[in-house]
Amino acid sequence: MASTIHLDRTDFAILEKLQDNALLSNKQVAAEVNLSPSACHERVKRLKEGGILQGSHAVVDPKAYGVSFEAMFLIQLDRHEALLVEEFLQEVIALREVKSVALISGAYDIVAHLRVRDIDHLKSLAFEKFTKRPYITKIESSIVYDFKENRVQKPL
Amino acid sequence: MASTIHLDRTDFAILEKLQDNALLSNKQVAAEVNLSPSACHERVKRLKEGGILQGSHAVVDPKAYGVSFEAMFLIQLDRHEALLVEEFLQEVIALREVKSVALISGAYDIVAHLRVRDIDHLKSLAFEKFTKRPYITKIESSIVYDFKENRVQKPL
DNA sequence: TATTTTTCCCGAATATACTCCGGCGCATAT
DNA sequence: ATATGCGCCGGAGTATATTCGGGAAAAATA
């Protein structure tokens, strides 16, 4: 079972390297954590099979897709039927402009992170894909001036 | 220059595969986009050199780091001196609990996405690392019930 | 303490993939 | 019609991934 796997210092070192750069060759990772390639390979294999290493993704310049800036919508819903909310989240994440969507507690219910071409695009997105919906009470639309992300986790 | 590179359908197909799974071998990608390995390799090389393919990162189960849930802080600042804000963002993103931080326009100024061990951890994080700061007017603290992310971009 | 068991490492061997290069075909321009 | 450039292919050599067996060290057992 996944949760029963015990991770030692070396495992964390491997995870750190691969979170930083998933394209490192097994040989390179092995060298950086002072292991032979075969030993390192076995660990990585175990981490994958144990569900610790869940995948890896290339990062592509959004400009290549015509994105010029990002925005966020802070959304309030008038009622919270679980089914309705789940359906909404599904529809939202299916939009190509949506980078992420979070369902949260508090004054706002949903935070959507968007990638858009220009202001007109943002406008039409807001009005045609969001505002229209009857169960949305309020949308606070924000431009993202700066966004920083930690792709490498560290022990808490 | 990077922005002058022209991407065709095949390039986008390659980008899509690698965003979905950065560990695909060049051979596999080539097969999926109906190209010989050498031709595919040349394209990937060009995409990297052109700054389109910016890197790739492994995704690790947060539970491995003792994370049990996520939270968000919606933060208001009382003044917006650029230098102060930038410094704050730097300090925030440097925290191991912070997954991402966004500086936005509108009623709130900053959205921080956090990974925490438990409620006590969230509490201490809020009070010791955020609330303390004099220039923070208000923090709206939210639990993240659900979070969905699109790791594969599609043309707008 | 002696013995068993487990865990984890290494090195070698094989299979597979990367990488570069020469040449060909097609589309476009002259 | 001919020339030019661009992108593709296939092959050869090299490097890497992956598997396997065996051995050392630690942990558990008696």
Side-chain angles (χ1 to χ4, degrees):
Chain A
M1 193 172 299
S3 56
T4 62
I5 289 188
H6 177 256
L7 303 182
D8 64 14
R9 183 196 350 258
T10 305
D11 289 316
F12 281 111
I14 292 174
L15 292 177
E16 187 176 324
K17 299 293 176 194
L18 292 181
Q19 284 178 91
D20 183 56
N21 180 5
L23 295 186
L24 284 174
S25 70
N26 178 62
K27 192 185 174 191
Q28 287 173 298
V29 176
E32 297 217 46
V33 302
N34 300 315
L35 234 50
S36 72
S38 55
C40 183
H41 182 262
E42 279 167 18
R43 279 176 180 264
V44 170
K45 193 177 165 191
R46 240 187 325 126
L47 291 169
K48 283 181 186 167
E49 288 169 353
I52 309 296
L53 269 171
Q54 302 185 323
S56 55
H57 306 274
V59 175
V60 174
D61 183 358
K63 288 194 191 71
Y65 289 92
V67 172
S68 68
F69 68 94
E70 301 182 358
M72 279 195 185
F73 289 165
L74 306 184
I75 301 171
Q76 288 178 349
L77 304 177
D78 67 348
R79 51 205 161 112
H80 292 237
E81 299 157 42
L83 212 92
L84 197 87
V85 169
E86 179 57 31
E87 193 184 310
F88 179 52
L89 291 176
Q90 300 270 3
E91 288 177 29
V92 168
I93 199 63
L95 298 172
R96 356 155 69 44
E97 290 91 350
V98 173
K99 186 179 173 192
S100 72
V101 59
L103 174 67
I104 65 175
S105 69
Y108 290 87
D109 301 301
I110 286 170
V111 174
H113 189 166
L114 313 162
R115 290 190 257 240
V116 294
R117 207 163 30 228
D118 51 39
I119 289 282
D120 277 343
H121 185 199
L122 179 60
K123 174 185 165 191
S124 68
L125 192 65
F127 283 85
E128 286 166 31
K129 304 286 183 178
F130 287 85
T131 308
K132 261 186 181 172
R133 298 168 189 268
Y135 48 85
I136 290 185
T137 307
K138 180 183 172 188
I139 295 187
E140 168 82 28
S141 174
S142 297
I143 290 174
V144 175
Y145 295 133
D146 194 9
F147 184 77
K148 300 181 200 293
E149 191 166 6
N150 270 330
R151 292 217 170 78
V152 181
Q153 293 186 72
K154 288 166 195 162
L156 297 179
Chain B
M1 191 168 305
S3 56
T4 60
I5 289 189
H6 177 256
L7 303 182
D8 63 15
R9 182 195 351 256
T10 305
D11 289 316
F12 281 113
I14 292 173
L15 293 176
E16 187 176 325
K17 299 294 175 193
L18 293 180
Q19 283 178 94
D20 183 57
N21 180 4
L23 295 186
L24 285 173
S25 69
N26 177 62
K27 192 184 173 189
Q28 288 172 298
V29 177
E32 297 217 45
V33 302
N34 301 315
L35 232 52
S36 72
S38 55
C40 185
H41 181 261
E42 279 168 17
R43 279 175 180 263
V44 170
K45 192 177 166 193
R46 243 184 321 128
L47 290 169
K48 283 182 186 166
E49 288 169 351
I52 309 296
L53 269 171
Q54 301 186 324
S56 55
H57 306 273
V59 175
V60 175
D61 184 357
K63 289 193 191 70
Y65 288 93
V67 172
S68 68
F69 68 95
E70 301 182 358
M72 277 196 185
F73 289 164
L74 306 184
I75 301 171
Q76 289 179 349
L77 304 177
D78 69 346
R79 51 207 161 108
H80 292 236
E81 298 157 42
L83 212 92
L84 197 86
V85 170
E86 179 56 32
E87 192 183 311
F88 178 52
L89 291 175
Q90 301 269 3
E91 287 178 30
V92 167
I93 198 64
L95 298 173
R96 7 169 41 56
E97 291 91 349
V98 173
K99 186 179 173 195
S100 71
V101 59
L103 174 66
I104 64 176
S105 68
Y108 291 86
D109 301 302
I110 285 170
V111 175
H113 189 166
L114 313 162
R115 289 190 259 242
V116 293
R117 207 163 31 230
D118 52 38
I119 289 282
D120 277 345
H121 185 199
L122 179 59
K123 175 185 164 190
S124 69
L125 192 66
F127 284 84
E128 286 167 32
K129 304 288 183 178
F130 287 85
T131 307
K132 261 185 180 172
R133 299 169 188 268
Y135 48 86
I136 289 185
T137 307
K138 180 184 173 187
I139 295 189
E140 169 84 26
S141 174
S142 298
I143 291 173
V144 175
Y145 294 133
D146 193 9
F147 184 77
K148 301 181 199 293
E149 191 167 4
N150 270 331
R151 292 216 169 77
V152 180
Q153 294 186 73
K154 288 165 196 162
L156 295 180

